[in-house]
Amino acid sequence: MAKLNLINKIFNAGPLILLYFLSSSEIDTNLEKVFEIFSFNLPIIIIYFWILKRPSVLGTGHIFFAGLINDVVMGYPLGISSLSYLIVCFFSNYVRNKSVNTTIASDWFTFFIALMFANLLFFSLLNNFSDVVISYTKIGYNTFFTLFLFPILWLIFSFYQANFIGGQDA
Amino acid sequence: MSVSRDDFSIAFRSALLQRGGAQKFSILSLIILAIFIFFLDIYGFVVVKKARSIINDVVFRITYIVSSPLRFIPNASTNLSSHFNLKEENEKLRQVIENYKSLDLNLEYLTNENKNLRKVLDAENIVNEKNIVLAKVLVDRNSPFLKSIIINKGTQAGIKKGMPVTQDNYLIGRIVETNYLSSRILLLNDLNSRIPVTLGNDSAQAILTGSGTKNPKLEYLPEGYVFEDEITIFASGKDGIFIPGTPIGKTTLNSGKYDNEIKLFVDPNQLSFVTVNLVRLNKEKF
């Protein structure tokens, strides 16, 4: 029984471990070596999905901390990724409070709004308060591919939730 | 109508302020904290800078450790395949040795010629080789927006902001952030990189600008300049930062995306050891 509990805890911690791993490791979702314009923001998808479906899996403190680590590794001003992650988190919380049953299509639509707000905040802060110059084309591609890949990752995470975490949505 | 407005405000407030379960902090408090940290970092208070430097050192080490399994996998497959190709490799090495033997004959002549030419040029900016630091690349995270790498040497080794960084004597970038035990290098292909360069027989001056893609491009070429293929680009040193004559890359007409693109001698995605030149050149006085 105790062993089963431990396994459950490990599976429950999976998304959080993945979030920290993506923030702190060299692994990235910028696959421009394969396809020049291809990059997407996996942490934002993870945060949106799990806060929407299972908020107990990701704590807001962890999301904030993962954002700080991401800023240090990427060389952005401290706090900017945390802010963008927390905006996504807020949208996801709001949608969860307002809706009873969600479908992949409704989640996709609300994710689009959350992503737009998060990216808008991220890049307007970077543009107005930092010396870092960023290509708008790359932002566009990144947003597009993040949005485009959301349904695929939605299915993968739903499968993971159904088979490894269990129970119903929050 | 008023009910739906109430609904909205309840859901909104709840999303911002709700705590419980794994949510130990409310989103609102964390957003305020993130904004506070952001502005502290942007306006660069001394205490924050020092704190950030320590955080950077710790996080870069953690990142290096966390990423080590990822590095091991490609290395293991390479080692395995090279083990099976030993005979072939041996023959290739023999050929390389023969080539080196023939090259060695020319070396003495070239060394003398080089010495004489340096005397003629009276090159005051030639770098003293003692003033270089060899550093290992700790983190090479390929961000879609910023092209930079982290090395394992910092202010402790005498590295300062702005110092040029090379690999095999080819320029790859400059130091933009220093910590006690680590530094960040801005690569030549980053959108924020601008370097004065010289090219061609007539020593045309231009600015090498990062484009965010693999190859940087040349801007501010002389009026009417005809861009040709395979011309070597050197740092001009006009900014007083980069060492004049450091080779960077060759012009290329076949890469496609931008006009005036430069193919770098060193692939920015394949860096493992780099050299930081500790000598900071003075700006030219007129």
Side-chain angles (χ1 to χ4, degrees):
Chain A
M1 193 65 181
K3 196 180 172 186
L4 208 67
N5 254 343
L6 182 73
I7 291 168
N8 271 345
K9 274 185 182 173
I10 292 168
F11 280 130
N12 262 316
L16 188 64
I17 293 168
L18 182 64
L19 182 68
Y20 272 122
F21 185 68
L22 285 169
S23 303
S24 61
S25 74
E26 260 183 16
I27 195 163
D28 49 57
T29 42
N30 176 26
L31 305 170
E32 67 174 20
K33 287 171 202 164
V34 185
F35 179 38
E36 201 180 334
I37 56 171
F38 189 57
S39 72
F40 67 102
N41 201 334
L42 187 54
I44 279 189
I45 299 178
I46 293 171
I47 292 164
Y48 191 82
F49 180 88
W50 290 106
I51 291 290
L52 189 66
K53 301 287 178 187
R54 266 303 174 88
S56 59
V57 165
L58 293 179
T60 42
H62 287 298
I63 292 169
F64 173 79
F65 196 59
L68 282 186
I69 293 173
N70 189 58
D71 288 333
V72 171
V73 176
M74 296 295 227
Y76 298 136
L78 278 184
I80 195 162
S81 296
S82 299
L83 254 178
S84 118
Y85 291 174
L86 287 167
I87 292 293
V88 171
C89 194
F90 162 70
F91 266 88
S92 189
N93 255 338
Y94 178 77
V95 171
R96 198 183 70 239
N97 287 340
K98 282 289 275 184
S99 50
V100 182
N101 273 328
T102 57
T103 59
I104 189 167
S106 66
D107 286 352
W108 199 6
F109 178 71
T110 48
F111 175 71
F112 170 69
I113 301 168
L115 182 68
M116 283 297 159
F117 266 90
N119 278 356
L120 193 71
L121 184 81
F122 182 90
F123 296 111
S124 52
L125 279 176
L126 215 57
N127 252 353
N128 290 312
F129 297 102
S130 161
D131 300 329
V132 177
V133 179
I134 279 177
S135 156
Y136 287 104
T137 327
K138 291 218 161 187
I139 302 163
Y141 287 137
N142 186 272
T143 310
F144 172 76
F145 284 117
T146 308
L147 193 65
F148 183 73
L149 288 172
F150 181 78
I152 299 164
L153 288 155
W154 190 95
L155 291 172
I156 295 169
F157 291 153
S158 294
F159 176 81
Y160 181 85
Q161 189 194 2
N163 291 287
F164 299 104
I165 296 179
Q168 289 194 331
D169 290 353
Chain B
M1 193 67 184
S2 66
V3 172
S4 99
R5 199 179 299 150
D6 281 351
D7 255 12
F8 168 78
S9 68
I10 290 166
F12 192 87
R13 252 185 298 159
S14 167
L16 269 180
L17 302 170
Q18 197 180 39
R19 287 191 291 167
Q23 321 294 331
K24 300 261 183 332
F25 309 94
S26 71
I27 292 179
L28 183 67
S29 62
L30 289 172
I31 286 177
I32 292 167
L33 185 62
I35 292 171
F36 183 66
I37 292 172
F38 175 77
F39 282 108
L40 277 182
D41 192 35
I42 285 291
Y43 292 111
F45 295 106
V46 183
V47 184
V48 181
K49 272 187 180 174
K50 281 187 180 166
R52 175 158 188 158
S53 175
I54 295 164
I55 294 167
N56 283 358
D57 277 337
V58 174
V59 172
F60 293 154
R61 255 58 188 181
I62 293 169
T63 303
Y64 182 69
I65 294 163
V66 170
S67 308
S68 45
L70 296 168
R71 262 183 237 112
F72 173 75
I73 297 163
N75 282 349
S77 66
T78 316
N79 288 344
L80 201 69
S81 62
S82 70
H83 181 75
F84 290 111
N85 295 327
L86 272 178
K87 197 182 167 188
E88 201 180 317
E89 201 180 330
N90 191 23
E91 295 222 339
K92 275 184 189 168
L93 286 172
R94 273 173 198 272
Q95 274 184 349
V96 170
I97 288 168
E98 289 301 317
N99 284 341
Y100 274 116
K101 275 181 184 170
S102 64
L103 285 172
D104 199 35
L105 295 171
N106 290 324
L107 186 65
E108 199 179 333
Y109 168 74
L110 287 170
T111 311
N112 289 335
E113 190 186 49
N114 191 18
K115 273 182 191 169
N116 290 333
L117 285 170
R118 283 189 181 199
K119 275 179 197 167
V120 172
L121 281 169
D122 194 21
E124 58 188 24
N125 288 324
I126 289 168
V127 183
N128 181 356
E129 286 199 357
K130 284 174 190 166
N131 289 332
I132 58 169
V133 169
L134 184 69
K136 189 180 180 187
V137 176
L138 273 186
V139 183
D140 181 9
R141 189 163 168 184
N142 196 8
S143 156
F145 311 120
L146 295 176
K147 310 285 176 197
S148 64
I149 53 169
I150 313 291
I151 54 169
N152 69 342
K153 296 279 165 67
T155 48
Q156 188 198 27
I159 294 175
K160 287 178 185 168
K161 249 185 182 180
M163 284 178 170
V165 185
T166 56
Q167 191 194 53
D168 300 333
N169 292 326
Y170 298 126
L171 191 67
I172 59 159
R174 68 188 156 92
I175 303 285
V176 286
E177 185 186 1
T178 52
N179 310 304
Y180 188 63
L181 296 170
S182 58
S183 309
R184 184 182 291 276
I185 299 167
L186 188 77
L187 298 172
L188 294 178
N189 59 339
D190 185 274
L191 207 60
N192 298 278
S193 171
R194 304 274 186 281
I195 293 174
V197 293
T198 178
L199 68 154
N201 294 332
D202 51 350
S203 300
Q205 305 291 316
I207 300 288
L208 185 75
T209 311
S211 54
T213 56
K214 195 178 170 188
N215 295 335
K217 58 185 179 184
L218 283 179
E219 285 183 344
Y220 306 107
L221 280 160
E223 224 170 279
Y225 185 86
V226 182
F227 193 76
E228 289 171 39
D229 206 8
E230 292 289 306
I231 293 177
T232 308
I233 309 291
F234 300 95
S236 69
K238 293 256 177 201
D239 51 358
I241 296 173
F242 296 101
I243 297 143
T246 313
I248 296 172
K250 281 189 182 243
T251 54
T252 174
L253 293 173
N254 305 321
S255 51
K257 187 161 185 188
Y258 296 103
D259 294 334
N260 308 345
E261 267 194 20
I262 303 302
K263 193 171 189 306
L264 298 171
F265 285 131
V266 180
D267 184 351
N269 295 322
Q270 301 291 325
L271 299 166
S272 47
F273 286 92
V274 296
T275 313
V276 183
N277 294 302
L278 298 184
V279 177
R280 293 190 79 178
L281 300 173
N282 294 322
K283 289 201 170 184
E284 284 180 32
K285 289 171 187 167
F286 296 102

